[in-house]
Amino acid sequence: MSFINEILMIASVPVFFGALIVFFRLFGKNGIFAWTVICTIAANIEVLILVHAFGMDTTLGNVLFASSFLATDMASELYGKKTANVCVKLGIAANITFILISQSWFLFVPAEADTMSAPIRTVFANTPRVMLASLLAYVICELYDVWAYHTIWEWSNKRWGNRRAYLWLRNNGSTLVSQLINVVVFNLLAFAGVFTWDIIIQILIFGYAIFIITSLMDTPFLYLARKIADRNPALLKE
């Protein structure tokens, strides 16, 4: 039995999270913004693919989308709530823009020699529904994530009087709940009537299981980002 799907999913976690760290190290705040746009668009294309891994059916895009939560948490930790909300707004704008662009392609009449219009139309036929479901889920869960991150931060700072301590608590405390909101809202809106309910339940269970793992695994990367920022103060300049 091949375990290629499982291997690729596991490997994608450090690859995607590491890529975000590289973007931040190279471009600072703008790198976080750029990654947010990339992952929100790419994840919504990936999610159209259904794969079998770890004994269940699930859609792709979970790990890549999880990196957007790391992006907003990095923005919150390093630049503040205002910058984190800019990340969310960029993700919203990217979703809306991609929906409009992708659907505009189908207004053109393909040439007789065209071989790509049909498969592209097949791929993006469900894009409006998927993207709109993703947009709603993204708005709700990301705004909650930013709010929860700073609420936990303020609480821990008042309780222990150390603003830098308990990074793991605000990171996981906000992300674990926001990921649950995301997986439920998105999958019900995007796939009800598309897949059978037993498959949707599998997607929900497996999707959130992945998000639990990725939420815990992104914490070291957040500590790494803060360490990089401490060593390179220029990255924190506006």
Side-chain angles (χ1 to χ4, degrees):
M1 181 181 295
S2 174
F3 294 98
I4 185 64
N5 287 344
E6 290 83 354
I7 293 171
L8 289 173
M9 282 188 173
I10 293 171
S12 66
V13 176
V15 169
F16 291 146
F17 289 176
L20 171 56
I21 295 297
V22 171
F23 268 59
F24 166 64
R25 180 62 185 87
L26 293 176
F27 308 110
K29 182 195 300 184
N30 290 331
I32 299 176
F33 290 160
W35 184 262
T36 298
V37 172
I38 291 170
C39 73
T40 51
I41 292 176
N44 284 305
I45 298 174
E46 271 197 333
V47 80
L48 297 172
I49 302 173
L50 187 68
V51 299
H52 189 80
F54 300 102
M56 291 191 291
D57 291 332
T58 187
T59 57
L60 293 181
N62 291 323
V63 176
L64 184 56
F65 189 69
S67 68
S68 71
F69 288 87
L70 176 58
T72 53
D73 284 357
M74 284 174 58
S76 288
E77 184 69 23
L78 302 176
Y79 298 101
K81 188 175 183 178
K82 182 178 179 180
T83 298
N85 281 325
V86 171
C87 278
V88 177
K89 292 175 183 177
L90 281 171
I92 295 170
N95 273 283
I96 294 174
T97 302
F98 186 74
I99 290 174
L100 296 175
I101 291 175
S102 64
Q103 295 311 297
S104 73
W105 301 334
F106 306 132
L107 298 176
F108 293 88
V109 178
E112 291 185 5
D114 172 78
T115 59
M116 295 304 299
S117 180
I120 289 177
R121 185 180 293 273
T122 299
V123 170
F124 292 104
N126 290 323
T127 294
R129 177 176 177 176
V130 172
M131 293 290 280
L132 288 172
S134 176
L135 178 61
L136 182 59
Y138 183 86
V139 171
I140 296 172
C141 67
E142 289 282 11
L143 288 177
Y144 170 83
D145 184 66
V146 174
W147 172 84
Y149 191 96
H150 288 274
T151 299
I152 296 171
W153 198 351
E154 291 173 6
W155 174 80
S156 64
N157 186 38
K158 290 180 181 178
R159 183 173 179 83
W160 290 289
N162 188 337
R163 189 162 181 80
R164 285 177 62 89
Y166 299 97
L167 172 58
W168 60 270
L169 178 62
R170 51 185 174 269
N171 171 228
N172 292 302
S174 61
T175 304
L176 287 171
V177 177
S178 58
Q179 293 283 30
L180 177 60
I181 295 171
N182 169 59
V183 74
V184 172
V185 173
F186 170 74
N187 285 293
L188 291 182
L189 291 177
F191 300 126
V194 177
F195 299 132
T196 60
W197 280 106
D198 60 325
I199 291 180
I200 291 176
I201 291 173
Q202 288 186 50
I203 292 172
L204 289 172
I205 294 173
F206 190 76
Y208 189 56
I210 290 177
F211 283 141
I212 291 175
I213 295 170
T214 55
S215 295
L216 297 175
M217 290 182 67
D218 78 358
T219 304
F221 290 90
L222 188 54
Y223 275 97
L224 176 59
R226 193 169 70 175
K227 186 175 182 179
I228 292 173
D230 288 343
R231 293 183 176 181
N232 302 271
L235 292 173
L236 301 180
K237 294 181 179 179
E238 293 292 336

